[in-house]
Amino acid sequence: MPTARLISTAALLSTATLLSCSLAACAPTERDVGRGADGTAAASDRPDENRLRQQTLDWRDCPAPSPVQGGGEAPAPLPDGTRWQCATMRAPLDWEKPGGKTIGIALIRARSSGDADDRLGSLLFNFGGPGGSGVAALPAFATDYEELRTRYDLVSFDPRGVGDSRGVRCLDPEAAEEAEEKVDQAPDDGGDESDALVELNELIAAACEKNSGDVLPYVGTTEAARDLDLMRQILGDEKLHYFGISYGTQLGGVYAHLFPERVGRAVLDGVVDPTQDMMEGALGQAAGFQLAFEHFARWCVEQRCTLGEDVEAIVETAVDLEAELDDTPLATSDGGELDGDEVISAITGSLYSQSFWPALLVGLEAVTGGDGDVLAELAEVLGQHGSGGDGDDGTEDDGDDDGTDDDPVDRSNENDAFRAITCDDSSDRYTVADVERRMPEFLEASPLFGPGLAWSALSCAGWPVPGEARHPEVSAPGAAPILLVGNTGDPATPYEGAARMAEALGEDVGFELTYRGEGHGAFDSGNPCVRDAVHTYLLDGRLPKRGAVCEPAPLPEGK
């Protein structure tokens, strides 16, 4: 998401965000990328980078994900017995000072299942966010990519600032929960509520600076893209083969801009619009989620649900319900409450996949009858509440971080990393007046989702690091073709973003495939047409025909 974390990456693959990268900062020069005109390493220019390129990774069986990665059990071997291996790659903390302090980047891989002669190299994944642990995510979704493993080692990582790659820490979980409970995320009754939201964002920003100030200026997408190229070299690949989802599409676009000659076979799914600034991205998402909810409502009518006789009536029911519970929360059976923010969280999370629609239908019908338990559970499971991090661990930085912590946090740092990466990338710093001025546009785009997304533009208030630019630079003339998969029903990364990414990448680089589906992204839907197109390109190097369209499977059954 550009300005608001609405869903857990680990649970639903990804969310989207706008990133940024100024042309001057991102333009690849021989000194910046450490290469000569022929693409070979410029050893005499940057000896410290050459030293890092020559490192050997110590691959070992993976332990259980750390708390800051989300916790859980150690990844089980794949069906053929292949064990997951983990390692830590050292990268410069500041890529402009490659001889200075280093940062540990946590990696995970599963070796190729095919014959050595058929192996194409490593396929690197970023599942989105930003802020999601790739080390935790890849094993969870590995069955979806088993066919790709016939020719690739599957590799993912925790981007810098995420999980075990020096995960950013802001407020401790208890303080974050207490502070957020006092704040309405979509103020509607004047200055007090909006001032409280600004104060909360400034409180979080101050905590991030206090607890992660040494790493905070270096967690942006440009640095992550340079880390990707270092991974490529250390893994022994001439080209970067890449699969990016949601935010991962923006990371892939920035990489292509920095290193066009190093792009191998790449797929971007759930494509972020690189032409929008933070406010424009939020406005686009408001329209995207509204469209997705209207699709749900149309299906609801077909199921003869009790929420309304037509789409307009069901939308009105949801708007009224959010407003009513915003004023007077509904008690739940576990002693908690269901408020308006949680209603929006439950609805938003359910729109990421058609598979959640039946549960959303049941939850909305139940709450109109005074039972908020199902929607509260959906908000708990699908939404994202609070910030990760437990504050300063009291340790000193010796300048050579191995990517681990002696005093790990007790929960994922996904929210904190999302904010840190987003605010480092974006130079936008909006005020209450900015939001109020644009609010009519958001309400027109979506009376249900517009207000919350408009106010989320304040999330970088008080951020201690200046962002790079209003939107990223992804032009990549000369790069190999990149397959972009756009979903016409995608709420988080609206379909138009794929065409705009294709145009921004440049002629003969961005190659668009349309999926007429629902939910966020396309490959994860399991649609056979989409999967065949992605497999054919990544495994055989053949792109689909221009203008190719994949049709959806039938919608899920109702109650």
Side-chain angles (χ1 to χ4, degrees):
M1 297 283 174
T3 54
R5 178 138 201 98
L6 297 176
I7 197 95
S8 168
T9 299
L12 298 173
L13 279 184
S14 58
T15 56
T17 188
L18 285 184
L19 315 173
S20 53
C21 171
S22 68
L23 179 60
C26 291
T29 65
E30 182 175 325
R31 177 165 179 78
D32 283 342
V33 301
R35 298 187 178 282
D38 62 354
T40 59
S44 60
D45 286 349
R46 310 201 85 170
D48 295 307
E49 285 190 28
N50 292 325
R51 173 177 57 84
L52 291 170
R53 293 188 190 102
Q54 294 164 5
Q55 66 184 287
T56 300
L57 299 179
D58 183 17
W59 293 103
R60 301 186 181 187
D61 286 352
C62 292
S66 68
V68 76
Q69 290 175 316
E73 301 294 326
L78 291 163
D80 66 356
T82 299
R83 303 180 69 86
W84 291 96
Q85 298 177 316
C86 289
T88 298
M89 179 188 80
R90 290 169 43 248
L93 175 63
D94 180 355
W95 268 101
E96 296 305 314
K97 300 176 181 178
K101 295 180 179 180
T102 61
I103 186 172
I105 305 296
L107 306 178
I108 188 169
R109 76 174 179 186
R111 300 304 296 267
S112 172
S113 62
D115 294 336
D117 291 343
D118 292 331
R119 182 180 177 276
L120 295 172
S122 296
L123 180 64
L124 273 70
F125 289 81
N126 182 284
F127 295 98
S133 167
V135 172
L138 182 56
F141 306 118
T143 56
D144 289 341
Y145 307 109
E146 188 61 21
E147 187 167 343
L148 296 173
R149 197 165 68 89
T150 60
R151 301 200 70 185
Y152 294 99
D153 294 347
L154 306 184
V155 181
S156 193
F157 60 103
D158 291 354
R160 53 176 58 215
V162 176
D164 278 356
S165 297
R166 287 293 299 277
V168 171
R169 304 179 180 191
C170 298
L171 288 175
D172 68 78
E174 293 77 16
E177 184 174 358
E178 180 181 353
E180 291 181 358
E181 285 179 350
K182 300 176 181 177
V183 175
D184 188 344
Q185 299 296 325
D188 58 6
D189 66 353
D192 290 344
E193 285 188 351
S194 58
D195 288 346
L197 182 57
V198 172
E199 290 172 4
L200 172 63
N201 287 320
E202 291 176 342
L203 175 67
I204 294 172
C208 293
E209 183 175 26
K210 175 184 176 182
N211 297 323
S212 297
D214 58 337
V215 72
L216 216 57
Y218 309 110
V219 298
T221 301
T222 299
E223 288 79 7
R226 288 170 175 157
D227 292 342
L228 269 179
D229 199 58
L230 182 60
M231 287 178 217
R232 173 193 64 77
Q233 295 171 81
I234 293 171
L235 292 169
D237 292 336
E238 181 181 354
K239 305 282 187 178
L240 178 76
H241 305 302
Y242 180 76
F243 198 138
I245 302 162
S246 196
Y247 162 83
T249 69
Q250 201 76 353
L251 176 59
V254 171
Y255 179 89
H257 173 68
L258 285 169
F259 307 101
E261 77 284 1
R262 293 305 181 192
V263 174
R265 298 177 186 176
V267 172
L268 307 183
D269 179 19
V271 186
V272 173
D273 187 338
T275 69
Q276 295 177 327
D277 62 21
M278 184 181 287
M279 188 76 81
E280 292 165 347
L283 184 60
Q285 282 192 323
F289 276 101
Q290 182 69 23
L291 177 65
F293 187 72
E294 289 173 0
H295 290 178
F296 162 80
R298 186 175 300 114
W299 170 81
C300 185
V301 172
E302 294 171 356
Q303 305 303 311
R304 301 183 183 277
C305 68
T306 62
L307 298 175
E309 61 183 13
D310 56 25
V311 170
E312 184 177 324
I314 293 174
V315 171
E316 186 175 349
T317 295
V319 172
D320 292 344
L321 180 64
E322 186 277 332
E324 177 183 342
L325 294 184
D326 192 45
D327 291 334
T328 308
L330 178 65
T332 54
S333 61
D334 62 359
E337 290 183 334
L338 177 72
D339 63 18
D341 286 341
E342 289 179 307
V343 169
I344 296 299
S345 181
I347 295 174
T348 300
S350 299
L351 297 178
Y352 274 73
S353 172
Q354 284 181 329
S355 64
F356 300 129
W357 286 14
L360 177 61
L361 187 158
V362 171
L364 287 172
E365 288 189 329
V367 78
T368 57
D371 180 358
D373 286 359
V374 176
L375 274 192
E377 185 175 354
L378 283 174
E380 176 75 20
V381 172
L382 302 180
Q384 192 75 0
H385 305 282
S387 299
D390 67 353
D392 193 350
D393 65 5
T395 60
E396 295 182 0
D397 185 354
D398 63 3
D400 195 11
D401 185 12
D402 63 0
T404 62
D405 293 298
D406 296 329
D407 181 21
V409 299
D410 60 3
R411 64 185 293 179
S412 164
N413 84 316
E414 197 167 354
N415 276 353
D416 290 343
F418 174 87
R419 185 184 298 261
I421 296 168
T422 299
C423 296
D424 275 18
D425 282 337
S426 176
S427 60
D428 295 322
R429 298 294 183 262
Y430 296 107
T431 66
V432 170
D434 292 327
V435 174
E436 291 176 338
R437 184 171 58 253
R438 300 292 297 272
M439 186 59 73
E441 297 175 68
F442 280 84
L443 289 171
E444 182 178 0
S446 173
L448 186 58
F449 305 104
L453 282 164
W455 286 109
S456 70
L458 298 179
S459 60
C460 294
W463 195 249
V465 178
E468 282 199 48
R470 294 179 65 241
H471 58 80
E473 175 58 66
V474 299
S475 62
I482 298 174
L483 179 59
L484 312 175
V485 187
N487 180 352
T488 59
D490 196 318
T493 51
Y495 173 65
E496 296 78 10
R500 291 171 185 161
M501 176 70 83
E503 183 178 2
L505 285 168
E507 187 176 0
D508 298 327
V509 178
F511 199 101
E512 188 178 359
L513 170 69
T514 294
Y515 171 52
R516 297 191 191 280
E518 304 291 345
H520 182 35
F523 187 89
D524 187 50
S525 72
N527 181 269
C529 173
V530 172
R531 292 208 168 180
D532 181 66
V534 170
H535 289 158
T536 298
Y537 184 51
L538 289 177
L539 296 174
D540 301 327
R542 290 185 286 112
L543 288 161
K545 294 181 180 179
R546 288 198 178 274
V549 175
C550 289
E551 298 294 341
L555 292 174
E557 293 297 327
K559 300 171 286 185

